[in-house]
């Protein structure tokens, strides 16, 4: 079937990831097991797996897009649905240690056990919460603050029928009775047995929100129960009760296990001894299999349907995540910088740039480019080899996104190093571009005129000067100053200082031309009938401008004239000569500058 081609067969790393995901899902389901949200979580997990499988392997693009958009809202919904469970988990993670002396805590076991056993024998209902690491200040405020020492007589008096505080709960904090008559929150677990009373539900509810240990005595049956971590264990006898209380009060981690543990009887010891004797004569490998593999196999096959479901969910989630994080992009010409150890410098490297293929989520690779990425290789710990080949690996790549490098071209770089020396060399300015027409470069002055250069000995030995990065001259008409870096690109040496001031002087380049025998024309009004005689009738004009304009200038483009509109009376006049030339051309001189004019009427 075609949709099977979309399934990625995981390698050993993928198998480990799937296994870890499956274990996380299993422990998550185990944590929520028995709570009101367990059925909802199971249903959502199955629905999520089905949607992933359908959209992944049947190419339903619209549904796949919708599922991705709804994931954020689904996460918010899970926070709301599992708010009690999450609050309980966070409370357990954020415990504050307020231990007191173990001996003082253990001493409380006897008076509490004595009071509980006596009330159980008389069928007096009781609800006693022992605070551990998570505070219960809010619950204490619902009752009457007492702050008195713990004693069996006082506990019996509090819960004696008819007293004002007997219907509430008692909270023991540190080694004192903090409050009595407190109202405990009821559990919302729907999987509890129906005949469980309010007192027992309150005990479970408090342990769901805190790490307290709550002792309950049934008013109807006199049965002693202990609630812890949202679980309730019933039917404790005197010895078992004292053992569990001692374990909890001493802050030991085995308190919860002690709740379901009974003492071995003589029959149990006989069975264990017989089993040991039967395996005594077996080879050591057989004994190892008998004692190791059997419990392991039992652990693996327990709840196998839930574990298989978690494994399938983890495989489906891995397929979806792999698809969404498998976008690739190639970035060319990523600069490669190699750092040698103290006293050494890079003499030569086989490549200054490398092409890298990145893989990651679409958001990580969408805007990635070579300006954001660099490859930094430190060979300071391998300076004993003058020539070495270094293979490119992802840890050398410096990139701002979470995308990771999966392929390099070329895959390696060959580096030659030499002893590092220092020389003082002059700086010369480098230029690019072209100056506008008519502008020419006169001089460039660098300040400072020389810099300290550090690099490989064989490289600097033949180096006579260093240059700045190219300074662009396009569109420059006037002299200017700039701040230019000394070394361009990935030069295998460093300069101090790295930048210098460059002052450039630009001058305008001009050409001159002499145009002779330019006729002088009179300028008269259209209705003027007078006659004008000019002496001399021609002039010589001296022009200047850009070489190109001067060279292309035609003599017909030079127009000389005299203005006669102001000459009213017939007479002889001396009038200045005027000349019109094309734009960009300048009139330097006119010979003669004035002419003799005789005006006569008709």
């Amino acid at each position: 079937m075609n949709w099977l081609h979309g399934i990625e067969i995981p390698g050993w790393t993928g198998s480990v990831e799937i296994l870890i995901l499956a274990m996380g899902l299993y422990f998550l389901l185990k944590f929520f097991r028995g709570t009101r949200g367990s059925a909802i979580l199971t249903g959502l997990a199955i629905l999520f797996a089905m949607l992933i499988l359908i959209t992944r392997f049947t190419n339903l693009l619209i549904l796949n897009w919708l599922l991705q958009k709804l994931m954020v809202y689904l996460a918010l919904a899970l926070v709301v649905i599992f708010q009690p469970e999450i609050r309980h988990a966070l409370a357990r993670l954020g415990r504050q240690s307020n231990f007191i002396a173990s001996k003082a805590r253990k001493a409380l076991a006897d008076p509490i056990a004595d009071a509980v056993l006596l009330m159980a024998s008389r069928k007096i209902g009781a609800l006693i919460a022992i605070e551990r690491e998570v505070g219960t200040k809010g619950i204490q405020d619902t009752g009457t603050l007492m702050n008195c020492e713990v004693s069996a007589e006082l506990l019996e008096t509090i819960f004696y029928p008819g007293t004002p505080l007997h219907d509430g709960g008692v909270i023991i904090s540190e080694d004192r009775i903090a409050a009595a008559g407190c109202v405990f929150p009821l559990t919302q677990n729907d999987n509890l047995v129906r005949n469980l009373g309010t007192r027992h539900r309150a005990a479970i509810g408090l342990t769901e929100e805190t790490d307290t240990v709550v002792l309950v005595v049934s008013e109807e049956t006199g049965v002693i129960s202990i609630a812890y971590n949202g679980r309730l264990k019933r039917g404790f006898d005197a010895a078992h009760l004292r053992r569990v209380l001692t374990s909890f009060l001493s802050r030991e981690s085995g308190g919860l296990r002690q709740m379901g543990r009974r003492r071995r009887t003589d029959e149990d010891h006989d069975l264990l001894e017989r089993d040991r004797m039967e395996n005594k004569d077996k080879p050591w490998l057989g004994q190892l299999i008998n004692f190791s593999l059997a419990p392991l196999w039992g652990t693996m096959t327990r709840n196998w349907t839930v574990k298989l479901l978690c494994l399938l969910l983890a495989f489906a989630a891995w397929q979806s995540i792999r698809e969404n994080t498998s976008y690739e992009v190639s970035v060319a010409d990523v600069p490669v910088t190699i750092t040698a150890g103290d006293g050494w410098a890079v003499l030569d490297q086989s490549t200054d740039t490398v092409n890298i293929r990145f893989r990651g989520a679409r958001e990580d690779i969408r805007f990635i480019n070579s300006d954001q990425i660099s490859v930094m290789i430190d060979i300071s710990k391998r300076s004993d080899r003058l020539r070495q080949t270094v293979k490119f690996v992802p840890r050398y790549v410096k990139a701002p996104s979470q995308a990771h490098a999966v392929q390099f071209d070329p895959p390696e770089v060959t580096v030659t190093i030499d002893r590092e020396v220092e020389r003082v060399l002059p700086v010369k300015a480098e230029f690019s571009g072209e100056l506008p027409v008519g502008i020419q470069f006169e001089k460039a002055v660098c300040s400072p005129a020389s810099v300290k250069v550090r690099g490989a000995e064989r490289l600097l030995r033949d180096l006579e000067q260093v240059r700045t990065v190219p300074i662009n001259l396009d569109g420059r008409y006037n002299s200017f100053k700039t701040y230019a870096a000394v070394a361009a690109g990935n030069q295998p040496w460093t300069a101090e200082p790295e930048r210098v001031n460059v002052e450039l002087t630009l001058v305008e380049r001009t050409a001159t031309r002499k145009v002779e025998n330019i006729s002088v024309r009179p300028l008269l009004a259209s209705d003027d009938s007078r006659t004008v005689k000019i002496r001399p009738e021609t002039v010589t004009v001296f022009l200047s401008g850009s070489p190109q304009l001067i060279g292309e200038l035609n003599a017909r483009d030079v127009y000389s004239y005299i203005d006669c509109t102001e000459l009213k009376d017939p007479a002889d006049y001396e009038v200045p000569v005027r000349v019109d030339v094309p734009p960009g051309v300048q009139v330097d001189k006119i010979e003669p500058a004035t002419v003799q004019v005789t005006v006569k009427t008709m």
Side-chain angles (χ1 to χ4, degrees), residues 312-338:
L312 293 176
L313 289 175
F315 180 75
W318 183 84
Q319 291 284 343
S320 177
I321 295 172
R322 182 202 61 81
E323 180 183 9
N324 291 328
T325 57
S326 297
Y327 295 96
E328 293 187 354
V329 65
S330 295
V331 181
D333 299 330
V334 177
V336 178
T337 302
I338 301 177

Side-chain angles (χ1 to χ4, degrees), residues 30-167:
K30 187 177 179 181
F31 177 80
F32 286 112
R33 184 181 60 185
T35 64
R36 62 172 181 169
S38 59
I40 301 175
L41 180 63
T42 304
L44 287 176
I46 295 175
L47 177 62
F48 177 69
M50 291 176 59
L51 288 175
I52 290 179
L53 292 173
I54 292 173
T55 58
R56 175 65 181 85
F57 303 129
T58 59
N59 201 27
L60 298 178
L61 301 179
I62 301 299
L63 190 59
N64 187 16
W65 177 87
L66 182 62
L67 176 62
Q68 293 179 0
K69 297 300 180 183
L70 291 178
M71 286 303 297
V72 177
Y73 303 101
L74 179 61
L76 295 177
L78 291 176
V79 173
V80 175
I81 294 173
F82 300 107
Q83 183 267 341
E85 289 79 5
I86 294 175
R87 182 173 60 180
H88 184 203
L90 292 178
R92 293 176 60 186
L93 290 175
R95 292 175 182 173
Q96 295 182 356
S97 178
N98 55 356
F99 294 155
I100 60 175
S102 299
K103 292 184 179 180
R105 298 286 299 185
K106 290 182 179 180
L108 299 179
D110 289 335
I112 296 175
D114 292 342
V116 169
L117 292 172
L118 179 60
M119 289 185 286
S121 65
R122 298 179 180 179
K123 294 185 179 181
I124 298 175
L127 186 62
I128 304 173
I130 304 174
E131 184 183 278
R132 300 186 78 231
E133 298 176 22
V134 178
T136 58
K137 185 65 171 61
I139 306 299
Q140 296 176 23
D141 293 339
T142 63
T144 302
L145 300 179
M146 298 188 66
N147 191 23
C148 57
E149 294 183 359
V150 178
S151 65
E153 294 78 8
L154 182 56
L155 292 174
E156 295 168 14
T157 303
I158 292 174
F159 290 107
Y160 191 80
T163 58
L165 303 177
H166 80 283
D167 281 336

Side-chain angles (χ1 to χ4, degrees), residues 480-492:
F480 65 96
K481 295 180 180 180
T482 186
Y483 200 47
V486 173
N490 294 325
Q491 295 288 353

Side-chain angles (χ1 to χ4, degrees), residues 352-380:
D352 295 329
T353 61
V354 62
N355 302 327
I356 306 177
R357 178 178 296 177
F358 287 90
R359 179 181 299 163
R362 180 180 300 175
E363 292 76 12
D364 293 332
I365 67 174
R366 181 179 300 176
F367 303 109
I368 197 169
N369 57 69
S370 58
D371 295 335
Q372 302 172 321
I373 310 168
S374 63
V375 176
M376 309 290 292
I377 302 177
D378 186 0
I379 60 172
S380 57

Side-chain angles (χ1 to χ4, degrees), residues 457-492:
E457 182 178 10
R458 280 180 286 174
L459 178 66
L460 298 187
R461 183 170 53 197
D462 300 327
L463 197 63
E464 297 180 355
Q465 64 181 5
V466 293
R467 297 177 179 269
T468 66
V469 297
I471 301 172
N472 191 6
L473 298 179
D474 290 335
R476 295 285 187 173
Y477 288 90
N478 302 312
S479 301
F480 65 96
K481 295 180 180 180
T482 186
Y483 200 47
V486 173
N490 294 325
Q491 295 288 353

Side-chain angles (χ1 to χ4, degrees), residues 252-298:
E252 295 176 356
S253 61
L256 188 59
R257 295 194 299 269
Q258 293 285 352
M259 289 175 59
R261 183 181 297 170
R262 62 183 178 87
R263 294 187 181 277
R264 291 175 179 170
T265 61
D266 294 338
E267 182 180 356
D268 296 331
H269 286 288
D270 293 341
L271 290 174
L272 291 174
E273 182 65 20
R274 184 175 61 186
D275 185 66
R276 188 183 67 82
M277 295 300 297
E278 289 177 357
N279 291 282
K280 180 178 179 181
D281 297 331
K282 290 183 179 180
W284 67 271
L285 182 60
Q287 297 185 37
L288 178 63
I289 296 175
N290 183 71
F291 287 104
S292 298
L293 295 185
L296 179 61
W297 176 254

Side-chain angles (χ1 to χ4, degrees), residues 11-12 15 56 70 75 120 226 255 338 377 399 407 434 455 462 514 519 522 542 546:
W12 71 272
S15 302
R56 175 65 181 85
L70 291 178
I226 295 181
I338 301 177
I377 302 177
Q407 185 177 355
E434 294 183 359
D462 300 327
K514 178 182 178 181
S519 298
F542 296 88
S546 67

